[in-house]
Amino acid sequence: MTDLFANFGPEARALWGHHDVKLRHRLHERPLFGDEQLGRVLDAIEPHQMAINTMGRGGHDVRTWSYCQRGDLSGKQLIDAVRQGRIWINVTSVHNVVPEFGALLDEMFAEIGAQVPEMKVIRKSMGLLISSPNAQVFYHADVPGQSLWQIRGEKRIYIYPNGEPFLKPKDLENIIRGRTEEEVPYQPWFDAHARIYDLKPGDMLHWPLNGPHRVENADCLNISLTTEHWTPAIRRHFGVQYGNGLLRQHGYTPRSASTDGLAAYAKCGLAVAWRLAGQQKRQSFKRVMRYKLDSREPGFLVPLDRQPEPMLQAAE
């Protein structure tokens, strides 16, 4: 038994990186995640490190997923807004701002590395998620290796296969190249093929690379951590997919996504050259702010243009 995990045994070691792994952890017992402590964290975060979103209440309508400005809310007021509204906050790279989270990230990967020594992590990061009762995150896929650590509240996560038809090569390439954010086309019948997990405080879930997923909160405030990691194999996979996307953009249909051989290295080199030339920034997805948080407004949301629109009606 380790300090962090309660059940990281031989089965989890064998499945790690190849299949879903659900474990028990002890992070929720630590004094980092109370409202006062988290309020101070939010007060220390710069705007570019915090994505604030709202979303619709019913169905899977990605058009209701909208970015919000923080306004002049303090950290404590922001948590109150999350508790009473329909908001999802993702504090990215919190480990770089709050030393306690940086130490925690090192501890987490030290224990994972001790259990899975063949996973050679070359880069890692941590995000802090603070989200409203009944909030949801729509169907999407992430680029690096992912784990979700539940601290407070409860949520349900649907994990889907990371191949066609659930994740098409072109869609993954666009995510990796930053041409779209993380969204992936979704069909309701996908759910029949999902692996569904209910997470409570002390649960942690890790799933295979690029596995599409979506999240539904229970009727309670949710506090979670996400961890991302890169290995040489994941970095090479990124480069190949990026190169394939460039080939597809210029009229060539890639015949392989293999990360081995000269073609893979050529695609990685193409990706590096494209990014060094500044093309990544010119073609990447740009966030558009639709709302501003305001403690005087119902649901804490006010549209920036003050015009009624279907998106606002869906988000309220």
Side-chain angles (χ1 to χ4, degrees), residues 7 20 25 58 67-69 74 117 126 133 135 157 169 176 181 186 211 229 243 248 279 284:
N7 61 336
D20 305 339
H25 65 79
Y67 285 97
C68 309
Q69 293 179 357
S74 68
M126 175 188 289
I157 181 168
I176 284 177
E181 197 165 24
Y186 167 81
H229 66 272
R248 196 183 304 275
Q279 296 297 322
S284 61

Side-chain angles (χ1 to χ4, degrees), residues 215-232:
V215 183
E216 298 173 346
N217 280 1
D219 189 19
C220 50
L221 178 76
N222 268 249
I223 309 295
S224 311
L225 294 174
T226 59
T227 52
E228 299 183 344
H229 66 272
W230 294 81
T231 65

Side-chain angles (χ1 to χ4, degrees), residues 4 13 33 47 49 62 64 82 100 129 152 167 176 179 185 237 242 249 261 268:
L4 186 59
R13 287 194 289 272
F33 303 103
Q49 291 181 291
V62 296
T64 66
V82 173
E100 292 86 351
L129 303 177
R152 292 167 55 185
L167 180 63
I176 284 177
R179 302 196 73 182
H237 170 79
Y242 200 113
Q249 177 183 335
C268 291

Side-chain angles (χ1 to χ4, degrees), residues 13 27 72 92 171 186 212 238 262 265 271 276 303:
R13 287 194 289 272
L27 297 181
D72 59 358
T92 58
D171 295 324
Y186 167 81
F238 174 93
L262 292 177
Y265 285 100
L276 289 176

Side-chain angles (χ1 to χ4, degrees), residues 169-181 241 245:
K170 182 178 180 180
D171 295 324
L172 178 59
E173 292 160 11
N174 283 336
I175 293 171
I176 284 177
R177 293 182 57 206
R179 302 196 73 182
T180 60
E181 197 165 24
Q241 296 290 345

